[in-house]
């Protein structure tokens, strides 16, 4: 076969298959050791080579495997197609459909075997081809559950670089936990420093870290695993917070301070609320009822400069020393201009953490004003 050449590195694995389901064919498939630089734009890359009795019919037969498996290389030789077959005929041929089904099943068998018996080899494959492989969740409903079982992620309970499956996560879930929690960010380091993670760290609740852009598209479509709903921890409400035993103080001074936050920020936020999730930070921004994932919003803005993100909810930690100082200052003089200056700074600080701060010069200028006042 012309495919076997020095253009391809040694395969991670291959199989040789013949005669199944009344379709006569042989196949030799490779999963390359290295992924191409343009993995997610492989449409021009050569796929499987299709032969009929060792005569090359197509050197790029993408119909032999689903789109999300297009990184697989190899040759398929069958006796059940005519030598003069056209591309249009192969696309609608029942023989091709059967071969595609068998090849896809064999590839999954191969990958699942790695996942179960050769963890290092599977993780090597997953790190290189996982971003493309995951796309099958939204396109191949026959194998959707198999793909979901093969998903791997870093979490708040794994070491850096260590991957866990959704099954691993559910086995470690806390007693009474009803939801699977996740959070997206550009890197693990950025996610771990986000205030929204504080509650989960304190209460030993595991959070899945989504650091690849593909994850943002596939997670909302999965919805649940093992009858557990997926929930982003930057949402305003979810079960863990509803059932939280943390008491947020309620008195007239706190209510007045929250009202001052609302009046100061106005239409820039959907709402201002006292927080149950914050432990060490004074404020955080979370998604309102109509908001989408923060990383998804960033991607939408990149694709459409006119995209307008939904307003967020500002949560205030009424037990934080800084917020308590503001409350005392408000009690002494409700018209103190420094109160609004600090509220503006807290809000823009939260925007900065989200990567959404548009006016860093104003932020720095205000910070200098606050430091000047503090050092008098």
């Amino acid at each position: 076969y012309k495919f076997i050449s020095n253009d391809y590195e040694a395969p991670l694995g291959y199989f040789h298959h013949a005669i199944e389901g009344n379709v006569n064919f042989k196949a030799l498939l490779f999963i390359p050791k290295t992924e191409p630089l343009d993995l997610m734009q492989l449409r021009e890359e050569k796929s499987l080579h299709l032969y009929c009795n060792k005569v090359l019919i197509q050197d790029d037969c993408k119909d032999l495997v689903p789109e999300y498996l297009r990184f697989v290389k190899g040759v398929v030789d069958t006796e059940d197609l005519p030598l003069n077959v056209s591309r249009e005929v192969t696309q609608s041929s029942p023989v091709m459909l059967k071969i595609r089904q068998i090849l896809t099943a064999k590839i999954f068998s191969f990958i699942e075997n790695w996942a179960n018996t050769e963890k290092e080899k599977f993780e090597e494959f997953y790190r290189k081809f996982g971003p493309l492989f995951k796309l099958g969740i939204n396109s191949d409903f026959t194998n959707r559950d198999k793909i979901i079982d093969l998903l791997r992620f870093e979490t708040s309970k794994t070491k850096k670089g260590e991957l866990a499956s959704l099954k691993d996560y559910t086995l470690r879930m806390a007693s009474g936990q009803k939801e699977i929690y996740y959070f997206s960010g550009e890197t693990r380091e950025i996610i771990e420093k986000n205030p929204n993670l504080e509650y989960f760290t304190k209460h030993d609740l595991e959070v899945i870290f989504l650091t690849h852009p593909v994850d943002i598209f596939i997670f909302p479509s999965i919805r649940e695993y093992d009858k557990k709903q997926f929930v982003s921890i930057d949402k305003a409400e979810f079960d863990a917070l509803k059932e939280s035993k943390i008491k947020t103080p309620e008195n007239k001074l706190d209510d007045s301070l929250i009202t001052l936050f609302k009046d100061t920020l106005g239409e820039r936020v959907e709402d201002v609320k006292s927080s149950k999730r914050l432990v060490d930070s004074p404020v955080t921004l979370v998604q309102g009822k109509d908001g989408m994932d923060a990383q998804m919003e960033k991607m939408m803005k990149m694709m459409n400069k006119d995209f307008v993100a939904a307003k967020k909810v500002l949560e205030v930690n009424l037990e934080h020393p800084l917020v308590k100082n503001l409350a005392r200052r408000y009690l002494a003089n409700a018209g103190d201009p420094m109160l609004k200056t600090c509220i503006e700074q807290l809000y823009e600080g939260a925007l900065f953490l989200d990567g959404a701060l548009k006016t860093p010069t104003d932020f720095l200028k205000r910070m200098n004003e606050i430091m000047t006042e503090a050092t008098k």
Side-chain angles (χ1 to χ4, degrees), residues 4-20:
I4 308 301
S5 70
N6 294 326
D7 294 336
Y8 298 90
E9 296 190 33
L12 289 176
Y14 62 90
F15 67 82
H16 181 238
H17 173 77
I19 308 178
E20 182 173 329

Side-chain angles (χ1 to χ4, degrees), residues 270-289:
E270 179 182 307
D271 198 3
V272 179
K273 297 180 179 179
S274 60
S275 180
K276 293 182 179 180
R277 80 180 72 216
L278 292 174
V279 179
D280 301 315
S281 300
V283 299
T284 188
L285 284 167
V286 297
Q287 299 293 342
K289 58 182 180 180

